[in-house]
Amino acid sequence: MVLQKKSEQGYSLQKRLLLAFGILLILFLGLAGFVLDRAFKESVAASVEERLQLQIYALLGVAEPEGEGFFVPDMEEARFSQIDSGLYGFILDSNGRELWRSMSALNFRMRASALVRNALEPGETFFGSLETEEQGPMSYASYGTFWPNQDEEFSFVVMETVAPTAAEISEFQSSLWFWLGGLALLLSLAQYYLLRWGLFPLQRLAEDVARIESGASDALEPNYPTELRAVTDNLNLLIKSERERQSRYRTTLGDLAHSLKTPLAVISGIVQQVSADKPVTSGTIKDVSEQLERMDQIVSYQLKRAVKSNHARILAKPVQIKPVIEKILPALNKVYRDKEVNANTALMENARFFGDEKDLMELCGNLLDNAFKYCRSEISVAVSEQGNRLVLAIDDDGEGIPEQEHKRVLERGARADTLKSGQGIGLAVSMDIISAYGGTIEMGKSALGGASIRVLFEREP
């Protein structure tokens, strides 16, 4: 089991959940804020209409006809008596002629008749708003009434500036979004720690796997949540199966050595007879043939027993090679940025490697790292499929590998710094991977002047 590198991990489940819940939280609080803001504005508007209606009723209660106009004594609402107080009252006849205006409206230049709705029936109230030059935005209410003594219809109009209500709404909005923002921050922190707590079993699973890889533990702990129990149980079965397979290999080698002792002893005795100049009869040749056949059967039997299937191929999934190389090259360019290596690529679009992607990554990484390390300024990478054969070719313009060193650099334990060409032990590691998949490796001199590495994999049709 090999830990996956951070660059190969993909997205974080915790970050994904945090992002999803964060977006949901923002949408929910934003919608809640919008609904509360709208409800408050509607409440304030209803309150303003109710207040204007009450002022009209108060005006109706004290107004008395006097000649061609109306007499209105001092009212309880002091703002009617204060000039430019923001609350104004008017009385109009049926023709829209102004019969009275409050003291507060002495400097009001707009004609109140413009506010009266046509054909306003007695008892009907109309609410509206307008923009004035001096006082800014205003709210008003117009009420139609019939005066029996005068046998005439009149309109009572009350206007009020919206500045106080606008300030009230602004203060409410500031307070609303402040508290909603604080609530969003608090909920985000709570969400973060709850997710960490909820995903802790996954973190513990990763730590247990790392302990197994380091040899500190033999199996995963049993006390996992129900949702992870199937995964952990299967991983334990896989680990157990792997350990049993390794044990079976060791047992098989012991059995093989023990089983070969007898036929080897027979052949050794025959060799001694031949060495003693004793005549070789047909029976002797037959004995040797029988023992060799038996040895072949023993070896075949033990190999079948040890390896029931070639898992590297049967369980292999096709891996696109081009994305893997395109992932490695930018990383190596950063590592060897001082050399400014020019990497020429000719990567077949649909070329596939049937095996583990991590094996492919390690193979290509080792070969490309050597090419970058020992080239002068240029390398070339080519991938192609020729029938059932996959060909990976990597060339560089470095010093190359002497022909007499081709076998040595593939040996495990050969030190790179003892070779004139500078090629390292990565080739031996690569050779192990290539051998595991039944491939071959060829070395030579490239057209660029340096080393040329050709890796070939045969695939059954």
Side-chain angles (χ1 to χ4, degrees):
M1 301 174 68
V2 180
L3 280 176
Q4 194 176 26
K5 296 180 181 178
K6 290 184 178 180
S7 61
E8 301 172 358
Q9 285 180 345
Y11 62 83
S12 165
L13 183 59
Q14 179 172 305
K15 291 180 180 178
R16 187 185 182 96
L17 290 175
L18 281 174
L19 179 61
F21 286 130
I23 293 174
L24 181 62
L25 181 62
I26 292 173
L27 290 177
F28 173 76
L29 292 180
L31 181 61
F34 172 77
V35 171
L36 290 174
D37 181 63
R38 182 169 181 177
F40 183 78
K41 287 181 179 179
E42 291 178 353
S43 175
V44 170
S47 176
V48 169
E49 292 180 358
E50 182 179 2
R51 188 166 60 248
L52 292 176
Q53 185 76 65
L54 290 175
Q55 296 296 347
I56 287 178
Y57 289 156
L59 185 59
L60 280 170
V62 297
E64 293 291 341
E66 184 179 60
E68 295 184 355
F70 272 82
F71 170 72
V72 180
D74 291 340
M75 301 178 61
E76 292 184 5
E77 178 57 70
R79 289 187 296 166
F80 279 120
S81 302
Q82 299 174 3
I83 297 177
D84 297 331
S85 64
L87 180 65
Y88 314 109
F90 303 91
I91 300 177
L92 309 175
D93 62 13
S94 57
N95 296 320
R97 185 168 59 90
E98 186 178 304
L99 302 179
W100 174 86
R101 68 167 52 194
S102 63
M103 289 290 295
S104 59
L106 292 180
N107 294 333
F108 197 83
R109 299 180 181 181
M110 184 176 181
R111 296 185 60 186
S113 59
L115 307 177
V116 180
R117 186 182 180 187
N118 294 332
L120 195 63
E121 298 294 332
E124 181 183 359
T125 304
F126 178 79
F127 298 97
S129 61
L130 75 158
E131 185 78 23
T132 62
E133 295 182 3
E134 296 93 352
Q135 289 78 16
M138 307 282 290
S139 296
Y140 69 91
S142 179
Y143 180 79
T145 184
F146 178 75
W147 218 273
N149 296 335
Q150 301 291 327
D151 194 22
E152 187 176 356
E153 295 180 357
F154 299 94
S155 295
F156 283 69
V157 180
V158 175
M159 301 180 62
E160 185 179 34
T161 179
V162 301
T165 57
E168 183 181 1
I169 292 174
S170 177
E171 182 178 357
F172 172 79
Q173 289 176 334
S174 299
S175 178
L176 173 66
W177 294 116
F178 172 79
W179 285 107
L180 285 179
L183 180 61
L185 179 61
L186 180 62
L187 290 177
S188 297
L189 290 175
Q191 172 184 285
Y192 172 75
Y193 286 107
L194 285 175
L195 279 176
R196 282 181 61 88
W197 173 76
L199 296 176
F200 178 74
L202 293 178
Q203 180 181 352
R204 190 160 60 86
L205 176 60
E207 292 173 353
D208 282 353
V209 172
R211 284 169 53 83
I212 294 172
E213 293 175 350
S214 64
S217 178
D218 293 331
L220 297 173
E221 297 294 332
N223 54 337
Y224 277 96
T226 306
E227 292 79 4
L228 294 178
R229 189 66 56 79
V231 176
T232 56
D233 289 348
N234 286 333
L235 280 175
N236 279 332
L237 287 175
L238 180 61
I239 294 169
K240 182 180 178 182
S241 174
E242 178 66 17
R243 296 190 188 283
E244 289 177 350
R245 185 177 64 85
Q246 294 177 356
S247 176
R248 189 168 64 249
Y249 278 140
R250 289 192 294 268
T251 302
T252 300
L253 289 175
D255 293 346
L256 181 61
H258 182 269
S259 300
L260 291 177
K261 285 183 179 180
T262 301
L264 285 174
V266 174
I267 294 176
S268 177
I270 294 174
V271 170
Q272 290 177 3
Q273 291 180 9
V274 174
S275 300
D277 294 331
K278 293 183 178 181
V280 179
T281 64
S282 60
T284 303
I285 296 176
K286 181 179 180 181
D287 290 339
V288 173
S289 178
E290 288 177 352
Q291 296 306 318
L292 289 175
E293 183 179 356
R294 183 181 176 189
M295 292 174 63
D296 181 66
Q297 291 174 352
I298 291 172
V299 171
S300 299
Y301 167 75
Q302 295 292 353
L303 288 177
K304 289 179 181 179
R305 178 184 167 195
V307 185
K308 295 183 179 179
S309 63
N310 191 342
H311 64 279
R313 295 185 179 184
I314 294 178
L315 299 180
K317 294 182 179 179
V319 179
Q320 297 289 336
I321 301 179
K322 183 177 180 181
V324 173
I325 293 179
E326 289 178 344
K327 185 187 298 184
I328 296 173
L329 288 176
L332 290 176
N333 276 323
K334 293 178 182 178
V335 175
Y336 298 99
R337 57 180 177 273
D338 295 339
K339 299 184 69 171
E340 297 182 353
V341 178
N342 180 26
N344 301 311
T345 59
L347 309 177
M348 185 175 177
E349 190 70 29
N350 296 320
R352 297 170 298 171
F353 170 77
F354 284 81
D356 193 332
E357 184 177 0
K358 292 192 286 291
D359 288 343
L360 178 63
M361 288 283 291
E362 186 172 357
L363 172 63
C364 295
N366 284 330
L367 296 179
L368 288 173
D369 182 71
N370 279 341
F372 270 75
K373 183 184 295 184
Y374 296 106
C375 74
R376 290 188 175 90
S377 62
E378 185 176 3
I379 70 167
S380 68
V381 186
V383 175
S384 61
E385 286 186 351
Q386 302 170 4
N388 294 325
R389 173 182 290 185
L390 172 66
V391 181
L392 169 63
I394 300 177
D395 299 336
D396 64 66
D397 62 347
E399 295 180 3
I401 306 174
E403 185 175 354
Q404 63 272 20
E405 299 288 352
H406 285 182
K407 291 183 179 180
R408 187 172 186 275
V409 295
L410 295 177
E411 294 175 357
R412 183 170 298 276
R415 293 184 53 84
D417 54 3
T418 64
L419 302 179
K420 182 179 179 180
S421 62
Q423 308 307 89
I425 199 171
L427 286 175
V429 176
S430 301
M431 189 59 198
D432 290 342
I433 298 174
I434 295 170
S435 299
Y437 289 95
T440 58
I441 186 170
E442 299 174 356
M443 298 184 187
K445 190 172 183 64
S446 72
L448 299 177
S452 174
I453 305 294
R454 296 286 186 277
V455 178
L456 302 94
F457 294 101
E458 296 285 348
R459 188 172 70 249
E460 294 182 3

